[in-house]
Amino acid sequence: MSNNSFLPAISEQFELHMNSREWRVDAFNQLLKDFHLSGVSIDGVSEDFLLSDIIQVISRSILDVKSNKHQWDNLNYRIDIPVNIDIESLSIGEVSRLFLFRCFQKVWIRKHYSNSIPKDESDDSPEHLKP
């Protein structure tokens, strides 16, 4: 699969999952944690907020911190923005969406892999033992 078809597929999954209240809350809670660990405050979001409302809240917080280089760099590091993205060339709305998307990815990975057994651990459950 080429990169051109991969990115729209990720974006589609993001849009699909973010329609779910549970995913919005989990992704935003991860974002709150990352902001807090970076020393950046962010307004609370109601669990009933739509994706567009969450993006607006994130945008306000980004506007407040972007002029403080130390905090801005720390926030970008904590959110784990890839180095090949020129974040300064993005609009505030695009950065907000990117931040939420990265936090969504963290939640998705945690949920996806928490249901499987780590490869370096054995599964000693009785149903896997020979009689």
Side-chain angles (χ1 to χ4, degrees), residues 10 12 17 22 24 30 41 43 46 50 54-55 60 63-64 67 69 77 81 93-94 96-97 109 112 119 124 126 130:
I10 292 173
E12 185 178 305
H17 284 323
E22 176 188 355
R24 280 194 311 272
Q30 177 65 50
S41 63
D43 296 333
S46 166
L50 300 174
I54 294 171
I55 298 294
R60 284 194 300 269
L63 284 172
D64 289 344
S67 62
K69 180 163 175 36
Y77 173 78
I81 300 302
E94 291 169 328
S96 300
R97 189 173 184 78
I109 288 168
H112 181 74
K119 292 180 181 180
D124 294 333
K130 290 183 180 180

Side-chain angles (χ1 to χ4, degrees), residues 43-120:
D43 296 333
V45 170
S46 166
E47 293 177 351
D48 296 324
F49 274 15
L50 300 174
L51 180 58
S52 60
D53 298 324
I54 294 171
I55 298 294
Q56 287 178 1
V57 169
I58 297 167
S59 294
R60 284 194 300 269
S61 292
I62 288 173
L63 284 172
D64 289 344
V65 74
K66 198 168 181 188
S67 62
N68 181 329
K69 180 163 175 36
H70 176 71
Q71 274 191 321
W72 179 240
D73 290 346
N74 191 16
L75 182 59
N76 288 308
Y77 173 78
R78 178 65 59 190
I79 299 288
D80 194 23
I81 300 302
V83 294
N84 62 340
I85 294 178
D86 180 10
I87 198 161
E88 299 305 323
S89 69
L90 300 176
S91 72
I92 295 298
E94 291 169 328
V95 172
S96 300
R97 189 173 184 78
L98 176 62
F99 279 12
L100 187 60
F101 180 71
R102 293 297 287 169
C103 291
F104 165 80
Q105 286 178 313
K106 292 175 186 180
V107 170
W108 187 90
I109 288 168
R110 191 168 41 245
K111 284 184 178 189
H112 181 74
Y113 289 106
S114 68
N115 294 330
S116 63
I117 298 168
K119 292 180 181 180
D120 59 347

